[in-house]
Amino acid sequence: MSFSCLTTIVLLFGSVLALVKDGSDEIDRLALLEFKARIADPSGALSSWNDSSHFCDWDGVTCGRKHRRVTILDLRSKSLFGVVPPHIGNLSFLRGFNLQNNSFHAEIPPHFGRLLRLQNLSLNNNSFSGQIPSNLSYCSNMLFLNLGYNMLKGNLPTELGSLSKLQGLVLQFNSLMGNIPPSIGNLSSLQMFGTLMNNFGGTIPETLGQLRNLKILALGGNKFLSTIPISIFNISALASLDVATNQLEGGLPGNLGFTLPNIKIISMWQNHLTGPIPESISNASNLEVIQIDRNNFTGKVPSFSKIRGLYWFNSYINNLGGEQSTDLDFLCSLTNSTKLKILVIAGNAFRGLIPDCISNLSTTLSMFGLAYNHISGTLPFGIGNLINLENLQMQGNSISGTIPYEIINLNKLTILDLSHNELLGQIPEFFVNLRMLLKLDLSSNNLWGSIPSSLKICQNLLLLNLSTNNLSGYIPPEIMGLSSLSIYLDLSRNSLIGSLPVEVGKLQNLGELHLDGNRLSQ
Ligand SMILES: *[C@@H]1O[C@H](CO)[C@@H](O)[C@H](O)[C@H]1NC(C)=O
Ligand SMILES: *[C@@H]1O[C@H](CO)[C@@H](O)[C@H](O)[C@H]1NC(C)=O
Ligand SMILES: *[C@@H]1O[C@H](CO)[C@@H](O)[C@H](O)[C@H]1NC(C)=O
Ligand SMILES: *[C@@H]1O[C@H](CO)[C@@H](O)[C@H](O)[C@H]1NC(C)=O
Ligand SMILES: *[C@@H]1O[C@H](CO)[C@@H](O)[C@H](O)[C@H]1NC(C)=O
Ligand SMILES: *[C@@H]1O[C@H](CO)[C@@H](O)[C@H](O)[C@H]1NC(C)=O
Ligand SMILES: *[C@@H]1O[C@H](CO)[C@@H](O)[C@H](O)[C@H]1NC(C)=O
Ligand SMILES: *[C@@H]1O[C@H](CO)[C@@H](O)[C@H](O)[C@H]1NC(C)=O
Ligand SMILES: *[C@@H]1O[C@H](CO)[C@@H](O)[C@H](O)[C@H]1NC(C)=O
Ligand SMILES: *[C@@H]1O[C@H](CO)[C@@H](O)[C@H](O)[C@H]1NC(C)=O
Ligand SMILES: *[C@@H]1O[C@H](CO)[C@@H](O)[C@H](O)[C@H]1NC(C)=O
Ligand SMILES: *[C@@H]1O[C@H](CO)[C@@H](O)[C@H](O)[C@H]1NC(C)=O
């Protein structure tokens, strides 16, 4: 007898034995083979799925110890392309199924509803389409359901409200629509609920306030209307509340800082929210991110002195301040926030002076935006302490006095915009240190003297605007030779003299050049 014949007999005998021993594991084997048959596997991730070994030894397959049935199928990030066949519903011992980050398409088969032991289902980052099968509601042991980053459409099935053990429901980046069913409020174990970037609409159901264990609520990037139900602010476990880019209106409850003691992230940007930032927020000492830009908040900004971990405060385009000359005093309360990175209060109604205490803001600060307010007084020289600033924008105020020479310390600056103010005096020769500058805008001030030749150091400059000042003298040839200038060069409306340097020919990539309103000769 030849060796191969013997092998065949042994193999045959083996599988007959397996069938006799326990026919049920053959069901799993067939389901896995059926699964493989519908998949293109360019990287050979499933090459071990062949008859030379028991399926419990195949890559990505985990079996139970007692009965050799599939309990976990983990095929994440295997470059697989295909569809999930209905046979998946035969893997009745399956507890975990992870297909994330592949290229599966077509519908999610309702046969998952037969997997009563299923705890984790991760189908995120594929191209699944069609509706979410309501049959998933039969998976009564489900703990985590992640369907994010697919092409799912239609409504969120009301029936999913029966998954009483569910801890995580993630649906982000799909095209789901309609209301969030109030039954979601029945998911009493839920810790994370994410619907970011879908087409959900209507009002946010009040029943979500029943989710006492909810830590992360991410509803941003939808079409939710009306007010945020007050019950949401009652979920004391909540650490992250994201309702950004919806059409929400109304105000925030005054006691928010007490009812949400664990809140770390408040993201509400781009809505129609009104009223004051609740003073009690001062007591929400775990806050790290407050993103309320593009709303219509009004009034005084409360103190942040207890919020030491705050690293992001953005209130761009609201209606804050406007009451007194002490509007900006809250900036001093931020000197205790040792991780502060982003501080943007541009586009509000702030009045008064920039307090000297800004010199004590954390040196971690990288973006400081005060533009388009009604700020007056001088720019404190202590700005030079903020040595990690990359982006300093104070345009569109009434800031007077000279430009502090201390800006020379800010050698990471990429954007410096002090335009449309009342600054006077000479432009300091501080550019020797500002090699990273991409954009410099000092236009529409009362600056005089000549254009500093140290600007030639700024070899990365894309945009330079010094127009509408009283600058005099010749245009330094080195400036005209800055070949990086590719967006905009505006020296118009000054008192510059002489002829245009021949170096202008080097500005081959320049989008716009304005030199009018000077006394240049041909
Ligand atoms: C079958 O799987 C084994 C690992 O179990 C692997 O070494 C072998 O290359 C596979 N055979 C084929 C034809 O892919
Ligand atoms: C996704 O899968 C690809 C392989 O297909 C891998 O290179 C990449 O690192 C994976 N991404 C993540 C976030 O796991
Ligand atoms: C497995 O599931 C499919 C489709 O749901 C079914 O046709 C098949 O008979 C089932 N049983 C076996 C042993 O494959
Ligand atoms: C389910 O997911 C959780 C969290 O990611 C993990 O700890 C657990 O081991 C998973 N269980 C199964 C059966 O996959
Ligand atoms: C899913 O896709 C998003 C966006 O492309 C990516 O940021 C994320 O890392 C991906 N996750 C996985 C698990 O592949
Ligand atoms: C939906 O789930 C139920 C309950 O487990 C099951 O009886 C039914 O076969 C499932 N539907 C399909 C199409 O598999
Ligand atoms: C689930 O929630 C809905 C709507 O909020 C409610 O009518 C229903 O009685 C709840 N069901 C259970 C089992 O709690
Ligand atoms: C907030 O919670 C308290 C007690 O936990 C409860 O009495 C009150 O009705 C809740 N308010 C809202 C608006 O849900
Ligand atoms: C913060 O909490 C303390 C102690 O509960 C209280 O005395 C104080 O008034 C609160 N501050 C604000 C601004 O609500
Ligand atoms: C903001 O609210 C004021 C009234 O408080 C109103 O006049 C103004 O139009 C609102 N602005 C926006 C952008 O909604
Ligand atoms: C910083 O924190 C200390 C200690 O809690 C406090 O005494 C001080 O007033 C705070 N500083 C500011 C500017 O809020
Ligand atoms: C900066 O902080 C130090 C130490 O707390 C303090 O002595 C100094 O007065 C502060 N400077 C300003 C301008 O507030």
Side-chain angles (χ1 to χ4, degrees), residues 27 30 86-87 90 111 114:
I27 297 178
L30 289 175
H87 302 74
N90 292 350
H111 306 76
R114 298 168 58 190

Side-chain angles (χ1 to χ4, degrees), residues 97 270 312 407 449 463:
F97 187 52
Q270 199 158 313
W312 191 305
I407 285 181
L463 188 153

Side-chain angles (χ1 to χ4, degrees), residues 305-423:
S305 64
K306 290 190 199 165
I307 311 181
R308 291 159 178 272
L310 191 70
Y311 72 88
W312 191 305
F313 180 74
N314 188 349
S315 69
Y316 180 60
I317 313 189
N318 276 281
N319 235 323
L320 293 165
E323 278 157 27
Q324 355 181 346
S325 60
T326 54
D327 276 353
L328 296 179
D329 284 3
F330 78 93
L331 292 177
C332 297
S333 74
L334 282 165
T335 55
N336 269 345
S337 303
T338 53
K339 295 177 183 157
L340 196 63
K341 200 163 162 56
I342 309 285
L343 176 53
V344 180
I345 61 167
N348 281 278
F350 290 113
R351 298 188 172 276
L353 312 179
I354 304 173
D356 282 334
C357 67
I358 61 156
S359 61
N360 277 341
L361 288 171
S362 172
T363 55
T364 50
L365 194 62
S366 93
M367 184 167 181
F368 193 21
L370 303 182
Y372 305 114
N373 281 291
H374 311 291
I375 298 169
S376 52
T378 60
L379 176 52
F381 62 81
I383 190 81
N385 287 1
L386 306 177
I387 51 170
N388 285 304
L389 270 187
E390 292 173 22
N391 190 331
L392 178 58
Q393 298 197 47
M394 303 203 164
Q395 69 271 26
N397 284 292
S398 305
I399 299 172
S400 54
T402 55
I403 301 176
Y405 183 73
E406 286 74 8
I407 285 181
I408 193 171
N409 296 330
L410 309 182
N411 61 11
K412 295 190 176 158
L413 270 186
T414 56
I415 296 179
L416 177 58
D417 194 338
L418 303 176
S419 65
H420 296 90
N421 277 295
E422 293 160 20
L423 294 165

Side-chain angles (χ1 to χ4, degrees), residues 272 274 295-298 317 319:
H272 311 300
T274 53
N295 279 290
N296 206 350
F297 286 110
T298 50
I317 313 189
N319 235 323

Side-chain angles (χ1 to χ4, degrees), residues 3 26 36 38 83 144 252 337 349 392 448 469 484 488 497:
F3 175 73
E26 180 63 7
K36 182 183 177 178
R38 311 211 183 177
V83 301
F144 297 99
L252 303 179
S337 303
L392 178 58
W448 63 70
N469 280 292
S484 60
Y488 194 87
I497 55 167

Side-chain angles (χ1 to χ4, degrees), residues 60 137 148 374 439 502:
S137 66
H374 311 291
K439 170 178 174 178
V502 290

